[in-house]
Amino acid sequence: MKLTVIGAGNMGGSIAKGLVRSGALEAENITCADRSGQTLENFAKEGYNVNITQDNNQAVKNADIVIFAVKPWILESAVSEVKDNLDYSKQVVISIAAGKGLDELDRIFDKNGRTPELFYLIPNIAVEVGSGMFFYCTKNASQESRDTIQGLFSKMGFAMQTEERLMSAGTALSSCGIAYVFRYIRAQVEGGVEMGFYPKDAQRIVLQTMKGAVDLMLAHNSHPEQEVDKVTTPGGITIKGLNAMEEAGFTNAVIKGLKAGK
């Protein structure tokens, strides 16, 4: 299987790296194309050994899967540039342009009344290290193609097919949501420093604590409050800390942030 990524920036580059690191595809079967020579040069320095080119038209030829990893406002021009070289009879096309739904993708990719098997997919940047979260939807892909995409992206994290109406919510929870997690980590680290730890030590403690929380919930398939109950002794310091956070609006702030990014 050969795969081309149009756009080798943060997200497109992360997908290519994730494919190689996870073993989902061999580097020789991946092509990254970008109009910026500097972007490609920076990517090449990281040593993933995928094919790189500034020629988008050449890049899409002979690919089985073409991923358009460009900004939403660039998508239409990027597609127009290569549309004549896309083979809708055998290529699966994926767009990760947030907010560009299936009807609009049909219009953008329309070629004399024909469109390819199209996927609208939202990843997050943890794809690079095999811990990505992917939401996708399609309305014209075969079951074989759906199985292929599900299998490919599942090797780089967790892939979930969903209804198109939930794609924006998925973007807020995961693609934007990972930034909210980073901001929470930063707040924890700053708190640790205020209490006396050196920053690097506080960060290590926070990251291991967060990893432990995630691992516990995955292992137990539990609700977060079940795990909270295990560490909240009546009259103890944990419940005092939780209540202080809630008094400051913690849960409400998180929900408002998610809805603002939807």
Side-chain angles (χ1 to χ4, degrees):
M1 182 189 300
K2 294 185 180 297
L3 180 145
T4 287
V5 181
I6 303 295
N10 288 335
M11 192 58 72
S14 292
I15 290 173
K17 294 171 191 176
L19 288 166
V20 174
R21 290 179 64 145
S22 68
L25 288 176
E26 297 293 330
E28 63 189 28
N29 292 322
I30 301 169
T31 297
C32 283
D34 201 286
R35 304 301 291 175
S36 169
Q38 186 62 57
T39 297
L40 291 174
E41 183 180 336
N42 292 339
F43 183 81
K45 287 178 181 177
E46 298 189 52
Y48 284 89
N49 299 319
V50 304
N51 305 298
I52 59 174
T53 180
Q54 288 182 266
D55 188 338
N56 290 348
N57 278 294
Q58 189 61 40
V60 301
K61 293 179 180 178
N62 302 316
D64 299 298
I65 299 172
V66 180
I67 300 176
F68 285 84
V70 297
K71 300 297 185 185
W73 56 89
I74 299 174
L75 179 64
E76 190 156 2
S77 61
V79 173
S80 295
E81 180 187 352
V82 301
K83 190 183 290 187
D84 288 345
N85 286 301
L86 291 173
D87 186 346
Y88 291 176
S89 67
K90 65 178 184 179
Q91 290 178 318
V92 172
V93 174
I94 299 172
S95 167
I96 68 168
K100 299 290 186 181
L102 293 171
D103 287 342
E104 189 165 6
L105 291 178
D106 271 344
R107 179 188 64 78
I108 291 171
F109 283 94
D110 180 78
K111 185 163 58 173
N112 300 321
R114 295 186 64 207
T115 55
E117 293 187 77
L118 277 169
F119 286 80
Y120 172 28
L121 182 144
I122 294 295
N124 73 14
I125 205 163
V127 58
E128 178 180 343
V129 293
S131 292
M133 178 68 221
F134 311 94
F135 296 91
Y136 68 91
C137 60
T138 181
K139 67 178 181 182
N140 61 347
S142 67
Q143 188 60 53
E144 181 181 1
S145 293
R146 294 180 193 209
D147 291 344
T148 295
I149 297 306
Q150 177 70 36
L152 189 66
F153 283 88
S154 291
K155 290 181 180 179
M156 299 182 285
F158 184 75
M160 175 186 291
Q161 182 173 355
T162 189
E163 300 172 58
E164 185 176 6
R165 67 181 181 85
L166 293 174
M167 291 295 287
S168 61
T171 301
L173 277 173
S174 181
S175 187
C176 300
I178 197 168
Y180 308 151
V181 172
F182 291 143
R183 184 58 62 85
Y184 172 75
I185 291 170
R186 190 190 77 172
Q188 282 258 81
V189 171
E190 290 179 351
V193 173
E194 185 171 334
M195 291 186 292
F197 285 101
Y198 286 106
K200 64 180 179 64
D201 293 331
Q203 181 166 308
R204 187 68 185 87
I205 292 166
V206 171
L207 291 177
Q208 184 59 40
T209 301
M210 181 167 284
K211 181 179 183 299
V214 171
D215 288 346
L216 274 172
M217 288 190 64
L218 289 174
H220 297 164
N221 192 27
S222 57
H223 189 280
E225 287 305 312
Q226 289 179 264
E227 303 300 338
V228 167
D229 287 346
K230 295 175 184 177
V231 292
T232 48
T233 304
I237 57 174
T238 302
I239 191 62
K240 291 178 181 178
L242 288 169
N243 287 342
M245 289 181 186
E246 288 303 327
E247 185 179 358
F250 178 75
T251 297
N252 192 43
V254 171
I255 293 171
K256 282 186 174 181
L258 288 168
K259 291 172 74 174
K262 181 172 177 290

